[in-house]
Amino acid sequence: MHIDLDAFFVSVEQALNPELRGKPVVVGGRPDRRGVVASASYEARKFGLHAGMPLSTAIRLCPQAIFIEGSFPKYREASQKFMAILANFSPFLEPVSLDEAYLDVTGFESIHSSIHQMAVKIKQRIKDELGLCASAGIASSKVVAKVAAELSKPDGLLEVASGKERSFLAPLPVAKLPGVGKKTEQILKGLGINTIGELSVMPLSALKSHFGASGELLQRYASGIDDRKVEPPSPAKSISRETTFGKDTRDRSLLKATLRYLGERVGAELREQGKQVRCITLKLRYADFTTITRRHTLSQTTDTDQIIFDTGAMLLKKALSQERQPMRLIGIGVSNLVEGGRQLDMLDASARRLEQLNKAIDRIRNKYGFSAIQTGRTLLLKDIFPETEGGYKLQTPSLSR
Ligand code: TTP
Ligand code: MG
């Protein structure tokens, strides 16, 4: 079963604010600023709006649309609750993105009378508990289940019977097949291939000459053949945060404040995952785009903000002594994650105090938002980055985490 929430970011906003329901709504930012649509409500899609469209085009096509900046913490919370509901139905769960997952439901008929019935119950719980609509596809393979869910949107449920995979896919345009992006679609069109059915019977040699090894995979998918299993997520191997500065800088206090803030974001994530690390890496990009990384390995594992920052600051100091160019980007990451849960009484008193301090800060931030409590060094960032309840809005490619 593949499940994907409908117009996810927008629907979270609509669930929280009834005034937005039934209206064309866009999450992505203010239309007078640069940026693109992240999510458009189905009412807005009637006007041709879709994810990735420049906001300036969106407002031209649909001037009455309501534009919302959006905030990542809300969506993350909804996503966590969504995944928890799914996990309640089957432990064989593979989250794919914030609002999308595969569930292996093989054999679950005995519990829910049918898989179709199981999907109805899952959708109902998501609606009752989160106020969100989900669409579900049921099939014998991941690729067919995903296409079915997509096709059933919004608020859909579509089951493709075993043996009908090929005939289900055949009439659909090639762009509906996972793995076929804009470029592949153009090439296929040039070859006179418009439907998935046509793709499935194209000579393999021709496909391979255009797409290499992935040509064969494409044809297998087009025929409804997909051996991929539903895989539980592998634990993260590293955590990192970075940001580009609005203006290149060599201001040491700004560099250190930003490093401190990014280190706190990394530390918070690390503690949320219950992990510790020994390897800390600093990343710098200079004005001329030269990018360097510097790594330090600690003698003991840690998950405290102070040690992450001290190590990063030490690496930064060394790097600054070697290079005089202004800085364009700074980032910090940790790797070699190991399970946490050290005995507190094995630590010396100062390390124990740091751990307890972090625990207290995490509790406050989880309750009142990341900005509720700030360390002295990061206060000067107030003048540099816009601030939200969830923290500073950094210049990262995705919504700020
Ligand atoms: P999608 O599931 O692709 O889109 P959606 O949930 O908004 O709409 P649909 O009903 O078609 O599933 O992506 C989930 C969220 O990811 C989406 O709400 C916003 C975010 N996102 C972006 O930020 N940028 C993008 O380009 C896309 C495609 C999604
Ligand atoms: Mg979605």
Side-chain angles (χ1 to χ4, degrees), residues 239-309:
I239 301 169
S240 66
R241 294 290 183 269
E242 64 182 49
T243 187
T244 308
F245 295 107
K247 216 168 62 200
D248 297 348
T249 183
R250 43 162 70 90
D251 177 345
R252 284 183 186 225
S253 37
L254 171 59
L255 288 167
K256 281 171 99 171
T258 310
L259 185 65
R260 170 79 208 192
Y261 178 70
L262 295 169
E264 287 180 15
R265 303 305 309 216
V266 168
E269 175 79 33
L270 196 58
R271 292 186 296 276
E272 193 176 308
Q273 292 187 17
K275 298 283 168 58
Q276 300 233 349
V277 289
R278 278 182 64 179
C279 232
I280 296 180
T281 304
L282 175 76
K283 174 175 169 184
L284 298 171
R285 180 167 299 146
Y286 295 107
D288 70 354
F289 277 83
T290 316
T291 307
I292 62 155
T293 55
R294 294 284 180 264
R295 174 170 295 189
H296 180 78
T297 304
L298 301 163
S299 57
Q300 275 197 355
T301 64
T302 188
D303 64 359
T304 57
D305 294 344
Q306 191 62 41
I307 293 170
I308 294 170
F309 170 71

Side-chain angles (χ1 to χ4, degrees), residues 3-9 39 42 45 97-100 133 135 150 153:
I3 303 202
D4 187 294
L5 297 172
D6 300 334
F8 176 47
F9 288 5
S39 176
Y42 278 80
R45 291 184 202 194
S97 68
L98 280 181
D99 81 328
E100 179 187 354
C133 272
S135 294
E150 194 63 39
K153 279 178 171 288

